[in-house]
Amino acid sequence: MKARTAQILLMLAGFLAGVASIVLVVVLVSGRDPVPSAGAAAIGGPFSLVDQNGRTVTDKDLRGHPFLVFFGFTHCPDVCPTSLFEISEVLGKLGPDAQKLSTLFVTIDPERDTPAAMKDYLASFNPRLVGLTGDPAAIAAVAKEYRVYVKKVPLENGEYTMDHTALVYLMDKEGRFVTPFNLKRTPEDAAADLRRYL
Ligand code: NI
């Protein structure tokens, strides 16, 4: 009996550790910049940035279709590549419907994320992903419009990393914020949800 009890306690401890780590991840991903429940119209706005092929993309180019937009950087150790992978899966599940929306990955590290660096990095993900960069002032302006928290954090080796909000924003065809887009579900479920807005 004792061995059985110990086994149950171990399983319980494992479960609790799992829950704790999930809670921690949720806090890390979303805790820094709570989603405002009101004033949704205040999220988003005009921008003029450059995609991974060197073409200028502005908010006006996106009118008429909904779009997903999120912020990150190519040196991001885990959250950004995970989001890019998950979004790639969702776009894959959308099939031809993926053409009815734009999906924008905006760098918050323009110093390192040139269009060429973005192109190189995004080659591993769904080809419909658009990577946007620009001069630091333009990036700071768009991050502010989307209320994205950005902080440069020096590393011991002389390099740096970036803390940033990891929300994916679903915007409507007028460029207005609709909802944060939840990637923590199956790509099929996320694609089915997204289809309702296309
Ligand atoms: Ni990141």
Side-chain angles (χ1 to χ4, degrees), residues 72-73 76 79-80 164:
F73 65 118
C76 182
V79 176
C80 292
H164 67 95

Side-chain angles (χ1 to χ4, degrees), residues 5 19 41 53 84 92 95 120 127 149 153-154 163 187 194:
T5 306
V19 170
N53 296 307
L84 285 161
D120 193 40
Y149 171 89
V153 182
D163 273 358
L194 199 47

Side-chain angles (χ1 to χ4, degrees), residues 71-81 83 105 108 121 161-166:
F71 295 78
F73 65 118
T74 65
H75 287 68
C76 182
D78 42 33
V79 176
C80 292
S83 298
F105 174 64
I108 42 86
Y121 184 69
T161 189
M162 306 292 291
D163 273 358
H164 67 95
T165 305

Side-chain angles (χ1 to χ4, degrees), residues 146-158:
Y146 282 84
R147 303 190 198 177
V148 172
Y149 171 89
V150 176
K151 187 167 189 283
K152 190 171 180 174
V153 182
L155 298 174
E156 283 179 8
N157 61 8

Side-chain angles (χ1 to χ4, degrees), residues 46-196:
F47 64 82
S48 179
L49 297 170
V50 179
D51 74 9
Q52 70 266 45
N53 296 307
R55 286 185 291 245
T56 299
V57 177
T58 76
D59 56 295
K60 291 186 182 67
D61 298 326
L62 302 168
R63 290 297 147 84
H65 291 298
F67 61 98
L68 292 172
V69 56
F70 65 114
F71 295 78
F73 65 118
T74 65
H75 287 68
C76 182
D78 42 33
V79 176
C80 292
T82 302
S83 298
L84 285 161
F85 174 76
E86 290 168 344
I87 287 177
S88 293
E89 296 272 287
V90 175
L91 293 176
K93 295 295 175 196
L94 278 178
D97 281 345
Q99 290 170 27
K100 296 178 185 169
L101 87 162
S102 297
T103 308
L104 313 176
F105 174 64
V106 182
T107 183
I108 42 86
D109 184 15
E111 203 178 309
R112 292 184 293 200
D113 289 341
T114 60
M118 295 288 269
K119 185 172 183 134
D120 193 40
Y121 184 69
L122 289 174
S124 314
F125 301 100
N126 188 290
R128 288 205 50 83
L129 277 159
V130 176
L132 296 178
T133 186
D135 65 57
I139 292 295
V142 69
K144 192 175 177 200
E145 285 175 346
Y146 282 84
R147 303 190 198 177
V148 172
Y149 171 89
V150 176
K151 187 167 189 283
K152 190 171 180 174
V153 182
L155 298 174
E156 283 179 8
N157 61 8
E159 298 286 304
Y160 64 91
T161 189
M162 306 292 291
D163 273 358
H164 67 95
T165 305
L167 284 176
V168 178
Y169 303 81
L170 174 60
M171 311 296 290
D172 71 11
K173 61 186 178 185
E174 310 295 338
R176 290 173 306 212
F177 174 68
V178 180
T179 181
F181 190 68
N182 175 17
L183 289 170
K184 299 304 166 198
R185 47 188 165 171
T186 66
E188 289 83 359
D189 285 353
D193 184 24
L194 199 47
R195 268 204 184 88
R196 301 189 296 128

